[in-house]
Amino acid sequence: MNWEQIYSHAKEWVNDAGAKIRLSFDKTLNIQTKSNANDLVTNMDKEIEQFFISKIREVYPDHKIMGEEGFGDTLGSLDGIVWLIDPIDGTMNFIHQQRNFAISLGVYENGVGKIGLIYDVVHDELYHASRGNGAYLNDKPLVPIKETPVKESIIALNATWVMENHRIDHNLMIPLVRDARGTRSYGSAALEMVFVAAGRVDAYLSMRLSPWDVAAGAVIIEELGGIVTNLRGEHLNFLSQDSLFAAKPGLHQSILKDYLKEGKW
Ligand code: IPD
Ligand code: CA
Ligand code: CA
């Protein structure tokens, strides 16, 4: 398999998709809801996913595709080469703010992450990695992730998880929020993962994400020595929804042991 060629195509297509999104800022978006009134999708989410799919099918007809908007394949396994695509991660931000969203593209082989690209379109910042070859922000290498204690760490998480909710006992999150130096919430799982990779936050956790939200970020973070699991500390399967816990080494172990072990995540 020519991974260098796949990597270079992926970068080219992500750049082209970013240009399409930038052009859409001057046009009126068609906005629809999905599972609930706050679960939004636009014509651009769909167009960008279809753009990637047409490119992949043209050059790599034997590769499989898992895309958030459902134009890809229905997959029962991650056998072979699979592209995991979130055409716009942070759609609510895209609609309301025209910023704080990203394109997320992961390429996996038999369930193992090989390539990850996350493109912050508005800042023209492409975070990318291919397994074993380092991780970059545009052309600049990202430095390996260093350890940080909880009391000096910034943790990205949504306020949902610290108020009463139907997924977890929110009381379990309070000590972590209290002990950390600060918390942040950006509204794009892909960006929150690259912020862990770039050392801008020290950990990111979420109770429920889909494979396309985390596939690219996992490759980039792991390439820099960070740890990506669910909130039980188990490897993700990148096939079904799960919780997510991405963090610096050391910090990952201590948060799991001291704060998360009582939870039924
Ligand atoms: C969402 C964003 C958000 C996360 C949600 C995701 P979308 O993705 O990543 O930050 O909290 O769970 O669904 O729908 O904007 O692609
Ligand atoms: Ca998403
Ligand atoms: Ca999306």
Side-chain angles (χ1 to χ4, degrees):
M1 191 48 58
N2 188 342
W3 284 102
E4 248 174 68
Q5 189 207 56
I6 297 175
Y7 196 19
S8 125
H9 272 133
K11 283 189 223 164
E12 182 193 324
W13 297 337
V14 163
N15 270 312
D16 292 350
K20 286 179 190 293
I21 293 176
R22 276 191 290 272
L23 283 175
S24 80
F25 286 151
D26 295 330
K27 303 194 183 119
T28 309
L29 283 176
N30 176 346
I31 305 166
Q32 292 169 334
T33 56
K34 296 199 279 186
S35 59
N36 63 64
N38 299 323
D39 185 7
L40 307 173
V41 64
T42 74
N43 54 306
M44 286 312 290
D45 298 67
K46 295 177 187 173
E47 275 172 39
I48 297 298
E49 180 163 314
Q50 284 167 315
F51 166 75
F52 282 123
I53 291 177
S54 71
K55 293 288 180 189
I56 298 163
R57 296 244 191 270
E58 194 183 310
V59 184
Y60 303 112
D62 54 330
H63 291 190
K64 293 177 211 150
I65 302 165
M66 189 197 292
E68 171 167 24
E69 306 311 337
F71 298 105
D73 304 303
T74 308
L75 299 182
S77 84
L78 288 188
D79 292 350
I81 296 184
V82 181
W83 295 64
L84 296 102
I85 305 172
D86 193 338
I88 298 182
D89 180 64
T91 296
M92 198 187 290
N93 291 345
F94 172 62
I95 294 168
H96 285 252
Q97 310 176 329
Q98 286 83 51
R99 68 193 66 204
N100 300 320
F101 66 88
I103 299 170
S104 179
L105 201 67
V107 191
Y108 279 55
E109 184 183 38
N110 298 322
V112 177
K114 303 289 270 187
I115 290 170
L117 295 99
I118 292 178
Y119 186 32
D120 178 341
V121 172
V122 172
H123 293 110
D124 191 22
E125 289 180 333
L126 177 64
Y127 300 83
H128 56 101
S130 85
R131 178 174 287 264
N133 296 305
Y136 295 83
L137 165 46
N138 292 333
D139 296 329
K140 210 173 122 223
L142 290 167
V143 294
I145 298 172
K146 294 192 202 77
E147 298 199 13
T148 308
V150 172
K151 63 180 177 26
E152 287 171 22
S153 66
I154 298 182
I155 299 186
L157 84 172
N158 287 352
T160 322
W161 314 125
V162 197
M163 58 176 238
E164 214 165 319
N165 67 84
H166 68 277
R167 292 197 181 279
I168 55 150
D169 174 4
H170 68 291
N171 290 305
L172 292 169
M173 297 306 297
I174 293 172
L176 178 60
V177 172
R178 185 194 56 215
D179 293 353
R181 176 166 280 173
T183 57
R184 296 290 184 272
S185 186
Y186 296 95
S188 158
L191 285 181
E192 286 165 303
M193 290 188 82
V194 289
F195 291 171
V196 173
R200 296 179 195 145
V201 303
D202 304 289
Y204 169 52
L205 52 88
S206 176
M207 300 306 147
R208 193 178 67 162
L209 288 171
S210 296
W212 47 78
D213 295 315
V214 297
V219 176
I220 299 170
I221 292 175
E222 287 180 352
E223 188 60 21
L224 294 163
I227 319 277
V228 180
T229 66
N230 62 23
L231 286 166
R232 295 183 301 281
E234 301 159 350
H235 289 297
L236 303 177
N237 66 18
F238 298 102
L239 201 54
S240 46
Q241 289 190 327
D242 203 345
S243 58
L244 175 82
F245 179 35
K248 294 181 163 181
L251 183 65
H252 189 278
Q253 287 95 314
S254 64
I255 292 179
L256 266 186
K257 180 166 79 61
D258 300 334
Y259 297 91
L260 301 179
K261 69 173 186 305
E262 305 298 336
K264 294 182 177 49
W265 321 104

